[in-house]
């Protein structure tokens, strides 16, 4: 009695991307640049807010300036602002006089 091993090679590893997938992959860098530009414009609009309004959202004018200085033209400065607001909130919650 002879046993033969047969293997079938399926070419599943080499899927060709569809037109839609290729189009999305090509447009992703453009979408990223557009998002960075839009966020920079929105941060510029934050300069119009008063100091009290900025404090309400957990930011200061120094945070706005440092967000632009810490990021290059193609980097998103909103990430820096998010970190600043979160860090300030954490510090304020640690030293809050209204502890339970």
């Amino acid at each position: 009695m002879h046993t033969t091993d047969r293997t079938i090679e399926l070419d599943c590893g080499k899927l060709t991307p569809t037109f839609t997938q290729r189009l999305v992959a090509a447009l992703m860098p453009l979408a990223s640049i557009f998002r960075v530009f839009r966020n920079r414009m929105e941060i510029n609009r934050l300069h119009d807010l008063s100091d009290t309004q900025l404090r309400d959202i957990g930011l200061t004018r120094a945070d706005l300036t440092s967000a632009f200085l810490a990021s290059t033209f193609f980097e998103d400065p909103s990430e820096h602002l998010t970190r600043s607001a979160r860090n300030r909130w954490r510090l304020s919650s640690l030293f809050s006089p209204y502890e339970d």
Side-chain angles (χ1 to χ4, degrees), residues 54-67:
L54 285 173
R55 198 171 339 132
D56 285 344
I57 59 175
L59 296 173
T60 63
R61 297 221 178 268
D63 292 335
L64 300 178
T65 304
S66 67

Side-chain angles (χ1 to χ4, degrees), residues 14-55:
K14 297 179 183 178
L15 296 176
T16 58
T18 64
F19 174 74
T20 306
Q21 291 170 334
R22 286 183 293 190
L23 183 64
V24 167
L27 293 178
M28 287 301 281
L30 292 175
S32 177
I33 290 171
F34 175 74
R35 179 179 40 85
V36 168
F37 178 73
R38 185 187 65 217
N39 287 345
R40 283 183 170 275
M41 298 303 288
E42 292 298 322
I43 292 171
N44 276 332
R45 292 180 63 200
L46 288 176
H47 284 286
D48 297 337
L49 298 178
S50 68
D51 289 337
T52 306
Q53 291 170 323
L54 285 173
R55 198 171 339 132

